[in-house]
Amino acid sequence: MKGISRRRFLAASLAGGAATTLSVTKEAWGASSFDGYPDGMGVLVDLTRCVGCRSCEAACNKEQNLAAPAEPFDDMSIYDKRFHGQKRRTDENSYTVVNRYEKDGAKPVYRKIQCNHCNEPACLTSCFTSAYKKTKEGAVTYNSKVCVGCRNCMVACPFAIPAYSYSSAFNPEIKKCVFCHETRLKNGQPPACVDACPQEVMTFGRRRDLIKIANDRIRTRPGRYVDHIYGEHEVGGTAWLYLSDRPFEEVGFDTTLSKEPIISNVKGFLSTVPMVLAIWPALFTGFHLLSKKQDHGHGEHAHSAQEEDEK
Amino acid sequence: MHTKRKWLVGAIVLAALWSAPLEEGAAQDFPEFIELDSLSDLYGPVPFDHLMHLDFGSCADCHHHGTGVPVQDANCARCHSNAETVPIISCKECHARDPFSATDIREKEADLHLYHRDKPGLKGAYHLSCLGCHEEMGAPTGCNDCHVRTKAGEAFFRGGPR
């Protein structure tokens, strides 16, 4: 399996190849201003509805066939635990986790984290081997067959989502939420967490419709929400959107992110230290992968080209 | 026994007060006890004491409109005249079992004049309505309080590969 896909890779890069090899320049990235697929799906998460029951975590575990947690999902003591002084994060066996945020006198706020499925994913742009792909349905998927385990995506992700799998030493693998793309999303179904939630914290629909719904909720229920949809513009927009009744920075959101997609930063980074990027993949997989990376920079075309590649 | 009778009297008085705007059938058909079981899977059915709940709220607290009782939510009252009645009372007739199915989303998209595009599914409607009040009034809110987990539910919360 692996051999075949590598070979296909080689063929593809030979075709588009020689001209672009090693010319990791600004121009190569220039054309990219991708607003996400117009019909892409998304999820609106309304923090005011969440009661912290962790049904979403259990549903994700089941859907993705992950290992059982040490304590069952109805164990609420997890909210009091800290890991290296931090609240819980996603890892190779939990693609989504819920954390609790408390404040004196206010009722606790629960916040689910998982991949936000950016319109212009930093993981994707930081990946040499095109292991990531933004599907037309809106998911950011990952292909372990071509991943070389460089972990650039883990550094690049503004939400610290991709997790490294230590369970297979020889087969590097990143684990993260994939929007249940294979099992559900591509068939028009919502992800498992959405279906499981008793409180309908999550609303599934086209991203553009969700923004209207979110604005309507803010408008028709004055005083209930902070007047902001997190993810509408952050890092160029994400498929997962959030409403909250507490300032977002108080409930664990990074409110310092710019409206620019991370790709722009990567662009700057590339032009200053191209060699870092040039050498890494060369070491791991050989030069042909570089030209593959080149395709990437052209945004929309690259996305669809990529899709065809994998069919 | 005593409280039961009190509530019966209460209900009759209330019914009399509301009889004008009430749907003909609705008042008579008021079921005192309902077993909510149309979704049961991870949990068993919910034994719902309809009559007992009149103790804690008016019809409109749960039946957000349509029982002939003035609409309570200011947001809804903007458009819905105060005491209209509708033939459909049951939550499950309006709130979809599968609100995010492709068919459901397609239907919503095809209906250009539809105003209500943000209607929760049945599971959401029940919990948002029931849990909300239970929280406010200090009534039970545990996941095993209104319904008891089934074998499938136990396995679900334990996790791990099937």
Side-chain angles (χ1 to χ4, degrees):
Chain A
M1 248 351 258
K2 195 147 195 165
I4 292 169
S5 71
R6 284 269 151 83
R7 193 151 354 102
R8 237 207 287 129
F9 236 162
L10 186 60
S13 49
L14 281 177
T20 47
T21 317
L22 264 183
S23 56
V24 185
T25 62
K26 267 189 172 160
E27 288 79 54
W29 297 89
S32 171
S33 177
F34 181 58
D35 293 331
Y37 292 97
D39 280 342
M41 306 304 282
V43 173
L44 173 64
V45 185
D46 189 331
L47 266 50
T48 66
R49 292 182 177 181
C50 184
V51 294
C53 72
R54 301 183 66 205
S55 297
C56 51
E57 292 187 40
C60 177
N61 177 287
K62 183 177 177 196
E63 181 77 13
Q64 301 295 333
N65 258 308
L66 304 176
E71 300 296 334
F73 288 105
D74 56 358
D75 176 33
M76 300 302 154
S77 68
I78 197 101
Y79 290 125
D80 299 317
K81 297 198 178 121
R82 292 294 174 272
F83 305 84
H84 306 290
Q86 303 235 302
K87 290 192 192 291
R88 291 195 302 153
R89 300 237 320 245
T90 50
D91 65 33
E92 61 176 304
N93 286 316
S94 18
Y95 300 171
T96 184
V97 298
V98 182
N99 280 313
R100 183 178 63 201
Y101 294 84
E102 278 171 307
K103 193 175 151 190
D104 288 343
K107 81 177 189 128
V109 172
Y110 295 91
R111 174 202 172 208
K112 173 187 188 296
I113 48 179
Q114 75 298 307
C115 174
N116 282 324
H117 300 276
C118 304
N119 291 347
E120 291 191 65
C123 53
L124 186 154
T125 47
S126 73
C127 181
F128 312 119
T129 66
S130 304
Y132 287 98
K133 156 177 129 182
K134 175 84 176 172
T135 73
K136 66 179 191 308
E137 293 88 357
V140 177
T141 60
Y142 163 81
N143 177 0
S144 66
K145 294 202 187 92
V146 299
C147 175
V148 295
C150 76
R151 309 196 208 181
N152 261 12
C153 53
M154 295 172 66
V155 179
C157 176
F159 307 110
I161 292 300
Y164 197 72
S165 170
Y166 292 94
S167 35
S168 55
F170 299 106
N171 208 1
E173 219 175 328
I174 293 289
K175 298 277 194 173
K176 77 163 193 75
C177 157
V178 290
F179 215 145
C180 294
H181 184 265
E182 284 306 305
T183 53
R184 291 164 157 266
L185 187 67
K186 76 175 183 195
N187 309 321
Q189 287 173 282
C193 52
V194 171
D195 260 354
C197 179
Q199 287 275 91
E200 205 167 311
V201 170
M202 291 161 275
T203 303
F204 173 76
R206 294 201 198 285
R207 184 178 184 274
R208 57 175 146 81
D209 294 337
L210 294 178
I211 289 171
K212 290 182 202 147
I213 287 178
N215 277 319
D216 276 350
R217 282 197 200 165
I218 294 173
R219 188 173 53 83
T220 56
R221 292 161 185 81
R224 171 150 190 180
Y225 298 102
V226 171
D227 189 7
H228 181 72
I229 306 170
Y230 191 95
E232 183 179 8
H233 299 300
E234 278 77 6
V235 296
T238 56
W240 281 59
L241 306 161
Y242 301 83
L243 285 177
S244 171
D245 53 354
R246 289 252 298 273
F248 282 97
E249 59 274 15
E250 287 180 17
V251 290
F253 287 84
D254 184 348
T255 49
T256 64
L257 295 175
S258 86
K259 290 186 175 182
E260 293 291 308
I262 302 287
I263 188 176
S264 318
N265 305 333
V266 177
K267 269 186 273 178
F269 171 69
L270 278 180
S271 61
T272 52
V273 279
M275 284 317 282
V276 177
L277 281 176
I279 285 168
W280 269 71
L283 283 178
F284 280 110
T285 51
F287 270 119
H288 54 273
L289 291 179
L290 262 180
S291 54
K292 188 69 190 165
K293 170 72 177 165
Q294 289 288 301
D295 287 348
H296 233 215
H298 300 297
E300 199 157 359
H301 309 298
H303 288 286
S304 38
Q306 236 176 292
E307 254 167 45
E308 276 152 29
D309 267 358
E310 292 196 5
K311 281 192 183 128
Chain B
M1 200 56 227
H2 178 71
T3 42
K4 260 264 161 68
R5 190 154 352 104
K6 201 172 84 196
W7 282 112
L8 216 58
V9 173
I12 291 166
V13 170
L14 289 175
L17 281 173
W18 290 327
S19 58
L22 253 178
E23 256 278 315
E24 273 283 278
Q28 274 122 40
D29 291 350
F30 180 91
E32 296 187 8
F33 181 89
I34 309 170
E35 184 158 89
L36 302 169
D37 61 359
S38 65
L39 298 175
S40 291
D41 168 21
L42 303 178
Y43 297 88
V46 177
F48 176 60
D49 194 333
H50 202 187
L51 187 62
M52 182 268 280
H53 274 84
L54 297 183
D55 228 333
F56 310 113
S58 87
C59 313
D61 279 317
C62 303
H63 302 281
H64 43 60
H65 86 302
T67 45
V69 181
V71 171
Q72 304 213 325
D73 189 329
N75 170 31
C76 316
R78 287 186 298 142
C79 297
H80 296 289
S81 71
N82 269 355
E84 65 186 342
T85 56
V86 295
I88 299 171
I89 298 291
S90 176
C91 326
K92 62 174 175 284
E93 301 287 330
C94 286
H95 292 276
R97 223 193 136 82
D98 216 355
F100 305 122
S101 69
T103 339
D104 216 272
I105 288 177
R106 219 176 302 121
E107 269 170 20
K108 250 188 270 173
E109 273 178 346
D111 190 347
L112 298 177
H113 297 292
L114 182 69
Y115 172 76
H116 289 294
R117 290 176 182 278
D118 186 17
K119 181 169 70 174
L122 185 58
K123 186 165 47 159
Y126 279 139
H127 290 104
L128 287 170
S129 166
C130 315
L131 262 181
C133 178
H134 276 215
E135 211 163 56
E136 271 170 34
M137 299 194 67
T141 55
C143 303
N144 281 313
D145 288 341
C146 293
H147 38 41
V148 178
R149 219 183 269 158
T150 58
K151 277 219 167 76
E154 294 292 343
F156 179 76
F157 278 93
R158 225 179 294 123
R162 276 150 284 175

